Amino acid sequence: MKRQLKSYAIIALGAVIFALAFDWFFAANAVGMGGITGLAQAINVLLPVLPVGILTILLNIPLFLAGWRFIGFHLLSSSLFAMAVSSLAMDGIALFYTFPPMDSMLAAVCGGAMMGTGLGIVFSQGATTGGTDIVARLLKLKFPWLPMGKLILIPDGVVLALTAIAFQRLETALYGAVALYVSSKVMDTVLYGMNASKVAYIISDDWKAVADAILAYDRGVTILNAAGAYTGAEKHVLLVAFRQREIVEIKRRVHAIDPGAFLIVCDAHEVLGEGFREYQKEEL
């Protein structure tokens, strides 16, 4: 129960940050927003009597019903909570304070960063804020190798086109696209960036000495058997996973032993296991 309460508190924090981003940067500067919130924003332009938050809740109902079967009760309940908090916070903040307008590009960049932070916090707890976030989560089941930030871009891009029609200003959608791009990058940084890792493939005639040097640095090494395509000579390829901040030391140790070593360094989206982080069932 304590762990669940902590999770819901974190979700509430992310939802409030998301709502603040909308009121402060999007609504105040007529910057288009993706998702169901953006659709509610477009409808609000045509029917100002209906608040964006209440519209968001109403538009989310059929999507939550559709997502029940594929996502499950835990995610649905936490997402309902996140959606309710963010929607009510939007209307609550707007009721008590009206943010002054600012430069549209500044609003798009800062708003996208804040929105991505809020969404990343919510997603980190296995929840969504509803709407196209649920669509993205369903797409994640089909395309598990794609990060959430990129999946969000698909349905949100469609909504941005609708906001441009509603506001009758192309700039609304263009600034919204900038915010959406920034949001997706920040969201993936919140979700995955703190665990950003690298994978190195090292081919060296002094592979044993290189492996010992890396092991002494407290990093694991896996030896892969290979052969040169041209000579047919047997080779040993060292596979090393390490954190991004360790790249300089890894390269230094390899170069110190074999300056001619063939070193390939690749980005690792996630590394799970001993020395890194543990697998979590609700992980996105």
Side-chain angles (χ1 to χ4, degrees), residues 130-208:
T132 51
D133 300 346
I134 291 182
V135 176
R137 184 62 187 253
L138 293 173
L139 289 173
K140 182 73 171 176
L141 299 177
K142 184 71 175 177
F143 307 103
W145 60 88
L146 291 177
M148 285 295 295
K150 290 183 174 58
L151 288 172
I152 286 287
L153 290 174
I154 300 172
D156 281 359
V158 176
V159 174
L160 276 180
L162 296 177
T163 60
I165 296 173
F167 281 92
Q168 296 184 341
R169 289 178 67 244
L170 180 60
E171 293 88 344
T172 296
L174 293 178
Y175 285 127
V178 172
L180 190 61
Y181 177 79
V182 174
S183 174
S184 69
K185 292 296 183 181
V186 173
M187 186 194 313
D188 284 342
T189 299
V190 172
L191 285 171
Y192 311 114
M194 303 307 292
N195 297 284
S197 302
K198 300 284 185 181
V199 171
Y201 297 91
I202 306 167
I203 303 175
S204 170
D205 291 334
D206 296 325
W207 61 270
K208 186 66 171 65

Side-chain angles (χ1 to χ4, degrees), residues 39-229:
L39 186 57
Q41 182 187 21
I43 295 174
N44 176 257
V45 173
L46 304 175
L47 300 171
V49 69
L50 295 174
V52 174
I54 298 300
L55 278 170
T56 301
I57 293 175
L58 294 175
L59 292 171
N60 265 304
I61 292 174
L63 281 174
F64 271 100
L65 293 175
W68 184 297
R69 175 184 174 187
F70 299 98
I71 296 175
F73 177 75
H74 169 69
L75 179 63
L76 186 66
S77 61
S78 57
S79 296
L80 276 169
F81 174 75
M83 184 266 293
V85 172
S86 63
S87 299
L88 295 175
M90 279 180 204
D91 291 346
I93 294 171
L95 183 63
F96 290 102
Y97 186 77
T98 301
F99 290 94
M102 64 176 70
D103 178 77
S104 297
M105 181 57 74
L106 183 62
V109 173
C110 293
M114 182 176 282
M115 181 174 68
T117 300
L119 288 175
I121 292 173
V122 171
F123 286 168
S124 71
Q125 300 303 306
T128 78
T129 55
T132 51
D133 300 346
I134 291 182
V135 176
R137 184 62 187 253
L138 293 173
L139 289 173
K140 182 73 171 176
L141 299 177
K142 184 71 175 177
F143 307 103
W145 60 88
L146 291 177
M148 285 295 295
K150 290 183 174 58
L151 288 172
I152 286 287
L153 290 174
I154 300 172
D156 281 359
V158 176
V159 174
L160 276 180
L162 296 177
T163 60
I165 296 173
F167 281 92
Q168 296 184 341
R169 289 178 67 244
L170 180 60
E171 293 88 344
T172 296
L174 293 178
Y175 285 127
V178 172
L180 190 61
Y181 177 79
V182 174
S183 174
S184 69
K185 292 296 183 181
V186 173
M187 186 194 313
D188 284 342
T189 299
V190 172
L191 285 171
Y192 311 114
M194 303 307 292
N195 297 284
S197 302
K198 300 284 185 181
V199 171
Y201 297 91
I202 306 167
I203 303 175
S204 170
D205 291 334
D206 296 325
W207 61 270
K208 186 66 171 65
V210 172
D212 289 341
I214 295 174
L215 288 170
Y217 187 53
D218 202 25
R219 271 291 151 227
V221 180
T222 299
I223 301 174
L224 307 177
N225 293 320

Side-chain angles (χ1 to χ4, degrees), residues 207-282:
W207 61 270
K208 186 66 171 65
V210 172
D212 289 341
I214 295 174
L215 288 170
Y217 187 53
D218 202 25
R219 271 291 151 227
V221 180
T222 299
I223 301 174
L224 307 177
N225 293 320
Y230 182 73
T231 63
E234 291 186 0
K235 297 283 185 180
H236 293 290
V237 180
L238 307 181
L239 172 64
V240 184
F242 54 93
R243 300 189 186 281
Q244 186 166 309
R245 64 177 178 270
E246 298 171 332
I247 185 171
V248 173
E249 182 62 21
I250 294 292
K251 290 165 66 176
R252 187 189 68 78
R253 287 175 178 251
V254 173
H255 182 77
I257 294 171
D258 183 3
F262 196 68
L263 177 65
I264 304 172
V265 179
C266 310
D267 289 328
H269 186 62
E270 289 182 287
V271 178
L272 307 177
E274 186 176 353
F276 294 88
R277 64 175 180 149
E278 296 181 355
Y279 171 78
Q280 297 175 356
K281 187 176 180 181
E282 290 297 333

